[in-house]
Amino acid sequence: MGEPGVGVAQRWLRRADAVQHGHAVLAFPVATLKKFGDDRASQLAALIAYYGFFSLFPLLLVFVTVVAIVVQDDLGLRRRLIDSAVDQFPVVGEEIRDSVKGLAGSPVTLIIGVVGALWTGTAVITAAQHAMDE
C-alpha cells in the first residue's frame, strides 16, 4: 500500500521529485520555483512594492509644492503639470486631485514632503537590501 506514516501529499511530492530528477528539462524550473518559495521571494517582493507605492505620495507632495513655487505666475501651466502628475495615479488620482490643488507651495509643505520622501525612500532601499540579502 505505501510507506507507513507517509501521507498522500508526501507520496505525490516524492513522485513529482522523481519525475523532475529523471527529466533535465524540468529540473531547472522546479529548482527555481522551490528556491523562490524557500527564500520567501514573493513576500519580499510585496514588501518592496508596498513601500514603493507609499513613497510616491511624499514625492507627489514635493512635486506639487515645487510647481506651485516655480510656476506661480502661469496658472494654466501649473494646472496642466499637476493634472498630468495626478493622472498617473489611476485609482486614487480623482480622490487626491482636489486636495493637491489646495497646496499653495508653502515651505512647511516642502519640508514635510522632502522628509517623507527620504523616510519612505529609505524604507524601500532597506526592504530591497533585505530581499537581496535573503
Side-chain angles (χ1 to χ4, degrees):
M1 173 134 171
E3 299 175 40
V6 177
V8 175
Q10 285 293 328
R11 285 194 296 264
W12 278 104
L13 285 175
R14 287 184 183 169
R15 286 181 190 155
D17 190 45
V19 168
Q20 70 97 15
H21 277 295
H23 299 85
V25 174
L26 296 176
F28 181 74
V30 169
T32 302
L33 289 173
K34 179 153 177 31
K35 181 71 172 155
F36 188 83
D38 289 347
D39 290 344
R40 303 176 312 125
S42 59
Q43 293 170 349
L44 296 171
L47 189 63
I48 293 170
Y50 173 81
Y51 286 125
F53 178 73
F54 284 110
S55 70
L56 294 176
F57 293 104
L59 289 174
L60 180 64
L61 184 63
V62 169
F63 175 75
V64 168
T65 306
V66 169
V67 165
I69 292 171
V70 173
V71 191
Q72 58 186 330
D73 295 335
D74 190 353
L75 294 176
L77 177 60
R78 181 166 67 178
R79 183 179 43 80
R80 284 193 316 262
L81 287 171
I82 291 173
D83 284 346
S84 70
V86 172
D87 287 342
Q88 300 303 315
F89 295 88
V91 175
V92 294
E94 293 299 320
E95 300 295 324
I96 63 174
R97 185 176 309 275
D98 296 330
S99 300
V100 166
K101 288 181 181 177
L103 299 173
S106 74
V108 173
T109 307
L110 183 61
I111 291 170
I112 290 171
V114 168
V115 169
L118 289 173
W119 183 43
T120 56
T122 303
V124 172
I125 298 299
T126 303
Q129 182 179 10
H130 178 68
M132 296 304 142
D133 287 345
E134 287 287 320

